[in-house]
Amino acid sequence: MKRILGFLIGLTIALLLTLFAGENPLNIFMILMKSAFGSMYDLGLTLSYTTPLIFCGLSVAIGFHAGLFNIGAEGQLTVAVLTAAAVGVLCPNIPFPLAPVVAFLAAILAGGLWGWIAGWLRAYRGSHEVIITIMLNFIAAGIASWFTLKIIPNPNSQNPETAMVSPNYMFKDYDLIARLFPDTPANASLGFAIVFAVLMWIFLWKTTWGFGLRAVGSNPEAAHRGGISEKKVQMLAMALAGALAGCVALSEVLGSAGQYRIGFSPDYGFIGIAVALLANNNPLGIIAAAFLMGALHKGASDLDLETTTITRDFSRIIQGLIILGVTAQGYWEWIKHKRRKD
Amino acid sequence: MDMMALIISLLLATLRLATPLVFASMGGFMSERSGVVNVALEGFMLTGAFAGAVVGHMFASAWLGWGAALIAGLVIGALYALFTIELKADQIVTGMAFNLLVMGLIPFLTKILYNSTGSTPALLAEDRFSFEPLVMAFVLVGALTYWLYKTRSGLWLLFAGEHPEALVASGVSVRKVRWAAVSVSGAFAAWGGASLSLFLASSYSPLMTGGRGFMALAALIFGKWKPLPALGACLLFAFADALQIRLQGIKVNDFEIPVQFIQILPYVVTIIALAGFIGKSRAPKALGR
């Protein structure tokens, strides 16, 4: 409940800021709502933002459960989406049901490896995972840019993007969600995302591995005495986090775009942090939180068109303030404390 | 002779590129030594770079921009202190939220001020700094080293991060020490940003820090949370950066090394340094508590 209040406080302050730009906050709010849910087309776009946010939210959350802060979802998903595109472009002859499976496995393997590097460095070299994952984000972006522009560029376009994957890699023909929202990138990967969230809930609360992971996160010393290897758990958690972020390849390459486009992600990895926090790292809550943040993001993207003074960067302000509103729950006690003094 | 000129220009570039890192690293030093984790350095730097560029352009004076960065840095540092110390918010999460917030607020403000999507107008060459921030950065490191070990208030900072209970026992408020340290941390990091927009470049451009706030933090950790070794680490990272700029477009036996591989050099060096292949680093005992 307090989290929802924190969310509302953050959103309200963000909207009040628009007064400085000479806008009516209520009007801005209406634009956000209309742009996010106004039509089936708008809703389709909102859902197409929701899907990668569920994956990234799960990725950040699994790190949090193990006591690690994964800021590297952005790099992990970059590497994974690039890998899926590379497989689809370089091996065009694999037949349909097998092709997307191969590309997907390659993608989560690549994402998982990228996360594992940070986990290994954290476990065995004691390096701070926050800084390591941020550096890995920059490195992933550099490698992706080189691979896209030099190795498998799109010959038919001036845009910085890879060639299209072969059509047998995409599940377009069998995609019920895509049919429901024509002309939008919404696709069946939303269903996968929801299934993955449920699977993660089962993993965390119904399996021994999940218990070990949570034990390391909540009390490393007790976990150690209980015979759980902290180092192995940290590596496993970061590798899983990378693999989950890598699932974005499902929605981006196999579901909608069919290629890796430089800059396709509006910082999904970072918005994933807000999603995980808002949901208190509960995988099922992440579905709802991702939908909320997806709606805000879609809403903000129309501010460019609907107002003259506010740009789409406004969504960052909203996200930042929402994270602060949710994480700084100490203000409730602070207010109580002040009242008692008076 | 050519070799000599190349080495000298590389060294000069290293010193120039180290300036923002040194300021930010000293900002991180203040905060982390007082016991507050600071991953908001990136946001602090952007704040300083922006405030410096705006005021510097408005009055056509780098020094006034420098002053504006100081004030903006103190304000955002104090806000960070409010959240982490008083409201007891998770320090790493708050830090990242601050970074995100600043990255959103600056384009919001440039749109209002200049109707642009994130950059500020450029300062004339004669209004920019030519060398001053570089000297100030080195003076700051010397001053902090002396202050930390030779003065009473320097010891307060040490104890706030190592043994807060001892500080309480001697009648000094840990809270106040941390408030002051985190606010000053904002100011130093903001100067790091301002040395980008007023010294290395002539205006603010979107996300111009490019991860330097995190590198500065890595330098601090690599430098075992001590000013002089942190300075050394900053110089190492700056050297990687200078080398990166110089190496772009270089060929090895007719094979041109992709420019992207060269650009990621500073980040790779940071990871290798942080992986602790050169001795273990020990954090202040009360860091993050």
Side-chain angles (χ1 to χ4, degrees), chain B residues 203-224:
Chain B
S203 68
Y204 177 88
S205 53
L207 306 182
M208 75 186 308
T209 48
R212 284 190 176 86
F214 296 102
M215 280 189 198
L217 197 55
L220 183 68
I221 297 171
F222 187 37
K224 302 178 176 16

Side-chain angles (χ1 to χ4, degrees), chain B residues 90-106:
Chain B
D90 183 281
Q91 293 172 357
I92 293 182
V93 175
T94 307
M96 290 310 293
F98 266 63
N99 292 335
L100 203 61
L101 195 58
V102 170
M103 287 176 199
L105 275 173
I106 291 175

Side-chain angles (χ1 to χ4, degrees), chain A residues 69 125 127 145-146 308-309 330, chain B residues 87 92-93 111 258 260 274-276:
Chain A
F69 194 9
R125 309 299 316 184
S127 324
S145 149
W146 164 73
T308 50
T309 46
Chain B
L87 301 180
I92 293 182
V93 175
K111 185 83 181 168
Q260 291 92 348
L274 259 197

Side-chain angles (χ1 to χ4, degrees), chain A residues 33-46 181:
Chain A
M33 293 296 286
K34 194 169 145 271
S35 155
F37 311 112
S39 66
M40 279 307 259
Y41 175 76
D42 290 324
L43 186 62
L45 280 173
T46 294
F181 301 99

Side-chain angles (χ1 to χ4, degrees), chain B residues 71-286:
Chain B
I71 293 166
L74 283 173
V75 169
I76 192 168
L79 267 175
Y80 187 65
L82 173 73
F83 274 92
T84 52
I85 300 168
E86 300 300 335
L87 301 180
K88 302 197 169 53
D90 183 281
Q91 293 172 357
I92 293 182
V93 175
T94 307
M96 290 310 293
F98 266 63
N99 292 335
L100 203 61
L101 195 58
V102 170
M103 287 176 199
L105 275 173
I106 291 175
F108 180 72
L109 291 173
T110 54
K111 185 83 181 168
I112 297 174
L113 291 173
Y114 307 108
N115 198 20
S116 86
T117 52
S119 334
T120 63
L123 268 77
L124 298 173
E126 62 264 29
D127 297 335
R128 289 167 48 187
F129 285 125
S130 44
F131 66 92
E132 296 89 340
L134 174 56
V135 177
M136 284 189 274
F138 279 84
V139 171
L140 180 66
V141 174
L144 279 182
T145 308
Y146 174 83
W147 173 73
L148 185 67
Y149 297 110
K150 303 282 173 191
T151 67
R152 183 177 283 255
S153 54
L155 282 179
W156 289 350
L157 183 80
L158 275 181
F159 272 89
E162 299 282 347
H163 305 289
E165 14 359 280
L167 200 57
V168 175
S170 64
V172 179
S173 161
V174 177
R175 257 187 56 230
K176 282 181 189 159
V177 172
R178 287 187 177 165
W179 261 92
V182 174
S183 305
V184 172
S185 159
F188 287 170
W191 272 344
S195 52
L196 277 173
S197 64
L198 298 170
F199 171 49
L200 294 182
S202 62
S203 68
Y204 177 88
S205 53
L207 306 182
M208 75 186 308
T209 48
R212 284 190 176 86
F214 296 102
M215 280 189 198
L217 197 55
L220 183 68
I221 297 171
F222 187 37
K224 302 178 176 16
W225 283 271
K226 291 181 182 126
L228 274 176
L231 171 71
C234 288
L235 287 172
L236 172 70
F237 294 163
F239 178 71
D241 205 5
L243 203 62
Q244 172 263 119
I245 296 170
R246 201 56 45 106
L247 285 181
Q248 289 192 11
I250 203 171
K251 281 186 183 154
V252 179
N253 299 335
D254 282 349
F255 172 74
E256 187 172 333
I257 301 171
V259 66
Q260 291 92 348
F261 284 10
I262 294 169
Q263 280 166 343
I264 60 179
L265 189 66
Y267 307 115
V268 175
V269 171
T270 307
I271 289 188
I272 293 174
L274 259 197
F277 290 113
I278 315 169
K280 266 262 182 281
S281 190
R282 193 185 67 81
K285 269 194 196 118

Side-chain angles (χ1 to χ4, degrees), chain A residues 230-253:
Chain A
E230 193 185 347
K231 293 181 174 173
K232 277 190 189 142
V233 166
Q234 284 176 338
M235 282 195 316
L236 171 78
M238 283 307 285
L240 279 177
L244 281 165
C247 291
V248 173
L250 270 180
S251 59
E252 186 66 19
V253 179

